[in-house]
Amino acid sequence: MDEIKHDLQNPSKATHEDLFGRGITYLCIGFVSLLVISILYFITTRGLATFTTNHVSLWKFLSGTNWNPSLLDKHGNPQIGALPMIVTSFSVTVLAAVVATPFALGVALFMTEIAPERGTKILQPVIELLVGIPSVVYGFIGLSVIVPLIRHSFGGTGFGILAGTLVLFVMVLPTITSLSVDSIKAVPMFYRSASLALGATRWQTIYKVVLRSATPGILTAVIFGMSRAFGEALAVQMVIGNAVLMPHGLLTPSSTLTSQLTTGIGNTTMGTLPNNALWSLALILLLMSLVFNILVRVIGKRGALKK
């Protein structure tokens, strides 16, 4: 009886293991949370130093078109204008998403609605291969193939927004395709059966039932693709031209936020104005990533409410 009473009053081995596993889980969660908070704090404090320590106007930073932090303009103010890089970053991101989305939807529909078995067998390995290719390989292919092709076809240097768009188009295509496939597969089968039973053709069912039901998921896929394109650095840097100029066309060499960061961060001294200005660009990238994540959550909640 005493042994049974002891077993009932004291935690068992399974309870100890459960508490140990729970403690490890909470420790990992705390470590990840601390890491994220530290990154946010570090980038925010460094990025705001341009405005708090160096007293640069936020409006001039966001609206200026000249970027040369080591020099002063005729009014004695540092030439820190990030507008060309902001415009170029949004241009290549939006254009890449616009070009990639129709192709991604076509591939996703083929893999789910037209020929599920054959499409998945053939195209799934291709998508996985595209995901696994390093960014530098995409950039090298763009530099060796796309840039000369644009140069011979349209003139100019070949570097610019068009070359960056084509490279990013291939890079974001697997992301948008994979998430679109998951969204279309999540549409209940009885939606299709009910539509066909009412006399709709297969294409009418796909267009008016499947795609409309999967719209929130497809929009989420597009935003994830845009987030991937907005943060891409190396591949874009190799084909964009790296000239901090306001773009006047698709063939104009320019520079994105990420390409300017990668080319300039190693040539500045920590704590100086040129270095702080680059951290301000990093802060813009961080804020845009947060915006993309918020959009994904908002669209996901609206899609859940509609269901």
Side-chain angles (χ1 to χ4, degrees):
M1 292 293 295
D2 293 337
E3 184 177 352
I4 297 175
K5 182 179 180 180
H6 179 270
D7 292 339
L8 292 175
Q9 291 179 346
N10 293 281
S12 64
K13 181 180 179 181
T15 303
H16 284 295
E17 292 178 351
D18 181 70
L19 292 175
F20 178 77
R22 188 179 303 177
I24 294 295
T25 302
Y26 288 149
L27 181 64
C28 293
I29 293 174
F31 176 75
V32 172
S33 301
L34 179 62
L35 181 62
V36 171
I37 293 173
S38 301
I39 292 174
L40 293 175
Y41 174 78
F42 183 81
I43 296 178
T44 302
T45 53
R46 293 291 181 181
L48 293 178
T50 304
F51 315 108
T52 58
T53 304
N54 303 115
H55 305 291
V56 174
S57 171
L58 177 61
W59 172 251
K60 290 183 178 179
F61 177 79
L62 296 175
S63 62
T65 56
N66 296 321
W67 180 268
N68 198 339
S70 58
L71 297 179
L72 302 178
D73 58 17
K74 60 182 179 180
H75 301 292
N77 298 318
Q79 300 181 21
I80 302 180
L83 184 61
M85 292 169 284
I86 296 174
V87 171
T88 304
S89 296
F90 277 102
S91 298
V92 295
T93 299
V94 173
L95 289 174
V98 169
V99 175
T101 299
F103 289 92
L105 284 180
V107 174
L109 288 175
F110 184 79
M111 293 175 61
T112 56
E113 303 295 323
I114 308 301
E117 295 183 2
R118 185 176 59 181
T120 303
K121 183 178 180 181
I122 297 175
L123 295 176
Q124 190 65 36
V126 176
I127 295 173
E128 294 174 354
L129 178 63
L130 290 176
V131 172
I133 297 176
S135 299
V136 65
V137 176
Y138 283 113
F140 185 73
I141 294 175
L143 185 63
S144 304
V145 179
I146 296 177
V147 171
L149 180 62
I150 294 175
R151 184 188 303 125
H152 294 313
S153 301
F154 303 103
T157 62
F159 296 95
I161 293 178
L162 181 59
T165 297
L166 294 178
V167 171
L168 287 178
F169 151 67
V170 181
M171 296 184 69
V172 304
L173 183 63
T175 301
I176 301 178
T177 301
S178 299
L179 295 177
S180 297
V181 167
D182 294 337
S183 300
I184 294 174
K185 285 183 177 180
V187 177
M189 185 59 66
F190 66 82
Y191 282 17
R192 300 173 176 84
S193 301
S195 176
L196 295 173
L198 291 173
T201 63
R202 182 172 65 172
W203 288 108
Q204 289 174 332
T205 301
I206 292 174
Y207 174 68
K208 295 186 177 182
V209 176
V210 176
L211 287 181
R212 290 190 180 183
S213 301
T215 296
I218 294 172
L219 291 177
T220 300
V222 173
I223 293 175
F224 268 116
M226 293 177 65
S227 178
R228 169 82 167 87
F230 197 84
E232 180 54 43
L234 187 57
V236 176
Q237 177 189 344
M238 298 174 71
V239 299
I240 199 70
N242 299 314
V244 187
L245 302 171
M246 181 63 71
H248 298 289
L250 297 179
L251 304 179
T252 304
S254 190
S255 180
T256 62
L257 294 168
T258 52
S259 64
Q260 187 62 31
L261 274 170
T262 54
T263 56
I265 197 66
N267 301 320
T268 59
T269 303
M270 186 69 74
T272 60
L273 176 58
N275 184 266
N276 291 337
L278 292 176
W279 281 110
S280 297
L281 299 182
L283 181 59
I284 294 176
L285 287 171
L286 176 63
L287 293 176
M288 285 308 305
S289 298
L290 294 177
V291 169
F292 284 132
N293 288 332
I294 292 173
L295 287 176
V296 168
R297 289 184 175 274
V298 170
I299 292 174
K301 288 183 178 179
R302 289 188 176 181
L305 290 175
K306 289 182 179 180
K307 292 180 181 180

